[in-house]
């Protein structure tokens, strides 16, 4: 059964209670007791950014998508890193900034 964080709106008392969904609806029906929504904190291992290692096959797929869309933000991160491609992206970015918006292409 789920655990609900509840608050009594008249007294300000907060508590947790394990109950079924139907029991929760019955309890909160009159308006004096409401569900208190709290932010959930996820714990990570020390020194971890919370994510795992990205699989190599994911990087390959992202590289293919970036190659098919050379003027996208995805191409900046996963696209080809050859000198020609980097200079082309820099030139497109320079023109894009000068034009004041996105370029179709």
């Amino acid at each position: 059964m789920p655990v609900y964080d509840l608050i009594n709106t008249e007294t300000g008392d907060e508590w947790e209670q394990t109950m079924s969904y139907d029991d929760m609806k019955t309890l909160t029906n009159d308006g004096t007791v409401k569900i208190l929504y709290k932010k959930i904190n996820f714990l990570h291992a020390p020194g971890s950014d919370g994510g795992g290692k990205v699989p190599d096959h994911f990087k390959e797929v992202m590289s293919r998508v970036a190659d098919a869309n050379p003027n996208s933000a995805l191409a900046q991160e996963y696209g080809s890193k050859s000198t020609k491609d980097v200079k082309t992206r820099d030139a497109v970015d320079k023109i894009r900034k000068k034009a004041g918006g996105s370029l179709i292409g």
Side-chain angles (χ1 to χ4, degrees), residues 57-105:
H57 66 275
F58 177 76
K59 290 178 184 177
E60 291 173 18
V61 170
M62 296 302 280
S63 175
R64 287 187 205 141
V65 172
D67 290 343
N69 300 286
N71 295 330
S72 68
L74 193 65
Q76 300 250 339
E77 187 172 347
Y78 291 101
S80 175
K81 304 291 187 208
S82 71
T83 304
K84 178 185 175 210
D85 291 333
V86 170
K87 286 184 178 184
T88 302
R89 276 197 296 270
D90 289 343
V92 169
D93 286 342
K94 182 178 178 182
I95 294 169
R96 182 178 289 137
K97 286 178 185 175
K98 196 173 192 180
S102 66
L103 298 176
I104 299 174

Side-chain angles (χ1 to χ4, degrees), residues 29-61:
N29 198 20
D30 65 354
T32 59
V33 177
K34 292 191 177 187
I35 297 176
L36 184 62
Y37 296 99
K38 296 181 179 180
K39 181 179 177 182
I40 298 174
N41 293 322
F42 294 99
L43 300 176
H44 302 290
S48 168
D49 65 354
K53 181 178 181 264
V54 176
D56 289 335
H57 66 275
F58 177 76
K59 290 178 184 177
E60 291 173 18
V61 170

Side-chain angles (χ1 to χ4, degrees), residues 12-27:
D13 293 335
E14 296 180 15
W15 72 96
E16 285 185 359
Q17 191 164 346
T18 303
M19 65 179 98
S20 68
Y21 179 79
D22 292 331
D23 291 342
M24 182 273 301
K25 292 305 271 181
T26 303
L27 183 63

